[in-house]
Amino acid sequence: MSESATDTDPSRDIAEVPAVEIINTVAVHLLSAAAVKCGLSENGDDEIDLAEARKLIIALAGLITASAPELGDHHARVLRDGLRSVQLAFREASPFPDAPGMGPGEKLTGPVS
């Protein structure tokens, strides 16, 4: 039995996924990538790239800030906690930490300490 075009169409699969799951998945990918770039992986210092981490953290902060009202407190709280963790990891990894409120994503989230 052969598959029809609609059985293999990625848009059909994505149409069945709730928006909250898609947002969470994207946020987890950004969070994971930012953590690696901040040196929080098994290889630690070998993978630090703070310029890349900054971009990922800003994108993550924007996604969480913009989508939080739609996600609800349960989902948004977990994502905010993860964001705060990578913001702090960025600050610790930086040889010249940004001023409070000027770190990656802090214009969207407020100062992190």
Side-chain angles (χ1 to χ4, degrees), residues 21-101:
E21 282 186 45
I22 294 170
I23 293 167
N24 278 329
T25 299
V26 171
V28 168
H29 284 292
L30 289 168
L31 181 60
S32 298
V36 168
K37 298 296 185 179
C38 286
L40 299 178
S41 70
E42 291 178 13
N43 297 330
D45 292 345
D46 293 340
E47 295 179 333
I48 291 178
D49 185 337
L50 296 179
E52 290 292 299
R54 181 179 296 275
K55 294 170 191 167
L56 293 162
I57 293 169
I58 291 169
L60 177 61
L63 176 62
I64 293 170
T65 301
S67 63
E70 301 300 321
L71 294 176
D73 188 56
H74 173 72
H75 294 285
R77 183 181 308 136
V78 174
L79 295 176
R80 283 190 198 109
D81 289 346
L83 171 60
R84 182 176 181 276
S85 294
V86 293
Q87 286 173 313
L88 291 172
F90 181 93
R91 185 174 302 281
E92 289 177 18
S94 179
F96 305 103
D98 296 312

